Amino acid sequence: MKVSLIGSSQAKLAKTDLAYRELGFYNLKNYSGFSAARICFSQRLLWKKAGLRFTLKAVQSEAVPADELSGSAKRSKSLNDVRLFVGLPLDVISSDCNTINHAKAIAAGLKALKLLGVEGVELPVWWGIVEKEATGKYDWTGYLAIAEMVQKVGLKLHVSLCFHASKIPNIPLPKWVSQIGESQPSIFYKNRSGQHYKECLSLAVDDLPVLDGKTPIQVYQSFCESFKSSFSPFMESTITGISMGLGPDGELRYPSHRELLSYHKTFGVGEFQCYDENMLSLLKQHAEASRNPLWGLGGPHDAPTYDQSPYATGFFKDGGSWESPYGDFFLSWYADQLIAHGDRLLSLAASTFNDTGVTIYGKIPLMHSWYRTRSHPSELTAGFYNTVKRDGYEAVAKMFASNSCRIILPGLDMTDAYQPHETLSSPELLLAQIMESCRKHGVKVSGQNSSVSGAPGGFEQIKKNLLGDGVLDLFTYHRMGAFFFSPEHFPSFTEFVRSLNQPELHSDDLPDEEEEATESLIKTPESNMSMQAA
């Protein structure tokens, strides 16, 4: 049996408003999850006794016979063990009323992914939505509805617990946390010029009772316990993985590159984030214990600012302060604080969910700019003491291994050839280094791509990374939305999935009523996946 979903380019602009109403799409110009795109799937079912194979053909693409597998598919049999997930939109749940944004479109998208052979979806769960009004007051309504929707379709669910805020889309921290921050800004990171980063809490307050008499660790633990209780019917059967938010954008790092928002700019080295009063207190204690009290007065005075190159000042130059005894003192302390923070949160998650059967993950960044320099400044400011002289990811991998957690790594679609020459970047070499540390310490890795728009040759690079030596066991493609389902993108994703050689389902595996349901899914207007955005 073969299901063929054929993209149609015949949709008329005059029908746009009708499509919006049918699928719940309103004001999509301002909706970050679904950008301008148009997609319809035709209502044609082709049956073949040999089994069920999903081939999705897009607008203006040539039909490829289902039995003519591409060369890449023939070479990709070893990819069978890699599980494939797709990320849901960051704002799939509305921040104002905790309901599903564009529920009909999401439901149709889930059905399309199921037909394609994707194993599951990743769901971002935001602290600022669930515990918005007051500490200990949780509202899981929208997220429970998504879990039920995913379960009904037959997909798996990977949940990302997000204890940070997001500017795009606009998802703030809980109101009560932001209110505390107005009177106590020291709960946030601060840079050398005195600017606070208010999208996540400073790791220096992990164990301080700064949140209505509770520590952030206690608040995170209560959040996780409430999640566990509320989603117990879905644990292991539907929810198979949980990612613990570890910092900015959920990653284990300092917000060292927070002002570099334009991808058209040359990335600078970033800034050290150790100037809030709690970080300075920890630094002072460490300096005094090391019998160098003057080293505890602040971060490196000769380090560059966010958008400067490593050669703008003396710290990161060859033979600069980073190679001095002071540099080793500071960089070791800065990285150790980050690893200790990650250990606290992953230990919390592991102990909370250890009896649920789910796998715990944590995400680390791929700070690949300036990797070809000796000092690796982008990694150092982010909190990874990794230089030409020192492997900074050994301690990170050990920490994950000690908590029996897995690492999420972004950037599997990135190649050195398409990086700005002036930044001396190498995502490929950095990825290989981190993978080697994970392999050495027995830590499995879940990969992600850098963006849905796709890096040049991104799908081939992803497959190349997935064909490695067994460290990668799961890949999550980010993210679902109108561009994801557009004629410009979805055919490439379809061919990518097809080349992973997903196992086929046979007609004997589907009862007659399920075959009829599949046909109905593709024929009904609501399930027609007509995702349209102006």
Side-chain angles (χ1 to χ4, degrees):
M1 181 174 68
K2 178 177 69 174
V3 177
S4 180
L5 305 180
I6 312 296
S8 171
S9 61
Q10 305 304 314
K12 303 298 182 182
L13 291 177
K15 297 182 179 179
T16 299
D17 291 340
L18 176 60
Y20 286 171
R21 291 193 294 271
E22 287 180 348
L23 291 177
F25 279 60
Y26 299 97
N27 300 322
L28 287 186
K29 288 182 180 179
N30 300 319
Y31 179 45
S32 63
F34 291 87
S35 57
R38 204 166 57 244
I39 183 165
C40 300
F41 292 107
S42 78
Q43 304 166 5
R44 186 160 69 96
L45 282 171
L46 299 179
W47 302 90
K48 190 174 181 180
K49 216 168 188 180
L52 173 65
R53 180 173 294 148
F54 302 111
T55 57
L56 287 78
K57 315 295 189 295
V59 179
Q60 298 178 344
S61 66
E62 281 189 325
V64 179
D67 55 349
E68 292 181 12
L69 292 178
S70 65
S72 60
K74 293 177 181 178
R75 294 191 301 271
S76 302
K77 291 183 179 179
S78 63
L79 295 176
N80 282 342
D81 294 332
V82 178
R83 294 171 293 142
L84 179 63
F85 280 60
V86 172
L88 292 170
L90 290 174
D91 55 354
V92 64
I93 301 299
S94 64
S95 59
D96 55 345
C97 57
N98 204 348
T99 57
I100 302 175
N101 278 325
H102 314 291
K104 292 183 180 179
I106 294 296
L110 293 176
K111 292 174 183 176
L113 293 178
K114 177 64 176 179
L115 286 174
L116 184 57
V118 171
E119 179 170 321
V121 292
E122 177 263 342
L123 171 66
V125 173
W126 296 91
W127 185 25
I129 293 178
V130 176
E131 198 178 0
K132 178 169 58 176
E133 300 297 338
T135 177
K137 184 180 179 181
Y138 309 105
D139 183 358
W140 300 102
T141 307
Y143 294 108
L144 285 168
I146 281 286
E148 291 173 0
M149 186 183 294
V150 170
Q151 185 182 62
K152 184 176 180 181
V153 172
L155 292 170
K156 299 297 184 182
L157 189 62
H158 183 112
V159 174
S160 297
L161 302 180
C162 303
F163 296 106
H164 62 282
S166 175
K167 289 184 178 179
I168 304 176
N170 181 26
I171 302 174
L173 290 176
K175 289 181 180 179
W176 60 276
V177 174
S178 296
Q179 289 170 355
I180 292 172
E182 291 176 4
S183 59
Q184 301 179 53
S186 60
I187 66 174
F188 301 120
Y189 289 107
K190 187 166 72 172
N191 63 16
R192 188 168 56 186
S193 62
Q195 296 173 317
H196 287 94
Y197 180 82
K198 298 183 178 181
E199 295 185 29
C200 72
L201 300 180
S202 168
L203 61 80
V205 300
D206 279 353
D207 293 317
L208 299 181
V210 295
L211 300 180
D212 290 341
K214 295 183 177 180
T215 70
I217 292 295
Q218 290 172 330
V219 171
Y220 299 152
Q221 183 167 9
S222 296
F223 186 94
C224 290
E225 289 173 349
S226 177
F227 174 85
K228 176 183 175 181
S229 174
S230 300
F231 288 81
S232 57
F234 303 98
M235 290 295 183
E236 193 173 12
S237 58
T238 298
I239 298 175
T240 56
I242 296 175
S243 298
M244 188 67 177
L246 302 177
D249 297 324
E251 298 176 333
L252 180 66
R253 63 177 174 87
Y254 293 98
S256 55
H257 287 72
R258 51 171 143 156
E259 293 190 350
L260 302 176
L261 301 178
S262 173
Y263 288 97
H264 301 292
K265 293 175 62 177
T266 298
F267 279 154
V269 299
E271 282 193 21
F272 293 110
Q273 307 289 311
C274 59
Y275 294 91
D276 63 81
E277 66 181 56
N278 297 300
M279 285 291 286
L280 287 175
S281 177
L282 292 173
L283 177 58
K284 181 181 178 181
Q285 294 173 31
H286 184 60
E288 291 175 349
S290 302
R291 298 182 180 179
N292 290 290
L294 294 179
W295 288 356
L297 300 179
H301 71 279
D302 57 345
T305 57
Y306 289 106
D307 58 354
Q308 289 183 314
S309 81
Y311 312 113
T313 62
F315 188 82
F316 294 117
K317 288 182 178 179
D318 290 351
S321 301
W322 69 276
E323 295 190 85
S324 70
Y326 163 74
D328 181 64
F329 158 83
F330 175 79
L331 294 171
S332 296
W333 169 82
Y334 192 65
D336 287 348
Q337 295 302 308
L338 185 68
I339 292 173
H341 168 71
D343 185 56
R344 286 190 289 269
L345 291 182
L346 290 180
S347 175
L348 183 162
S351 62
T352 302
F353 299 109
N354 63 358
D355 59 347
T356 62
V358 303
T359 303
I360 305 301
Y361 296 78
K363 186 175 180 180
I364 68 173
L366 196 69
M367 309 300 297
H368 55 82
S369 293
W370 309 107
Y371 184 83
R372 294 182 185 273
T373 65
R374 295 180 68 247
S375 60
H376 296 207
S378 291
E379 293 165 82
L380 297 185
T381 58
F384 297 91
Y385 191 4
N386 188 57
T387 69
V388 70
K389 296 179 175 183
R390 188 179 189 278
D391 189 337
Y393 297 98
E394 283 279 314
V396 176
K398 286 181 182 178
M399 183 268 290
F400 274 82
S402 67
N403 289 291
S404 301
C405 296
R406 302 188 180 190
I407 285 178
I408 298 175
L409 266 178
L412 264 66
D413 56 334
M414 302 182 73
T415 59
D416 291 359
Y418 292 98
Q419 302 308 309
H421 176 72
E422 59 270 23
T423 63
L424 299 175
S425 173
S426 182
E428 293 183 61
L429 289 177
L430 177 55
L431 187 66
Q433 180 188 350
I434 298 174
M435 291 284 198
E436 178 58 31
S437 293
C438 291
R439 185 182 307 107
K440 182 177 179 180
H441 296 283
V443 178
K444 289 288 187 178
V445 175
S446 169
Q448 294 178 354
N449 56 310
S450 56
S451 67
V452 73
S453 58
F459 285 119
E460 288 303 315
Q461 186 66 15
I462 292 170
K463 285 188 287 184
K464 176 183 175 182
N465 285 318
L466 296 183
L467 276 167
D469 48 13
V471 177
L472 281 156
D473 72 333
L474 185 149
F475 179 77
T476 302
Y477 192 84
H478 282 173
R479 289 192 176 268
M480 196 168 119
F483 179 79
F484 175 84
F485 286 112
S486 72
E488 294 77 22
H489 175 268
F490 199 53
S492 299
F493 179 77
T494 299
E495 185 59 27
F496 165 69
V497 176
R498 182 167 173 252
S499 70
L500 296 184
N501 199 22
Q502 295 287 338
E504 294 181 341
L505 299 176
H506 295 280
S507 55
D508 292 342
D509 298 328
L510 290 175
D512 292 340
E513 58 267 26
E514 291 191 27
E515 294 176 358
E516 293 171 2
T518 303
E519 185 171 0
S520 174
L521 159 64
I522 299 176
K523 287 187 176 182
T524 56
E526 179 175 313
S527 303
N528 208 6
M529 278 303 296
S530 297
M531 290 193 173
Q532 303 199 14

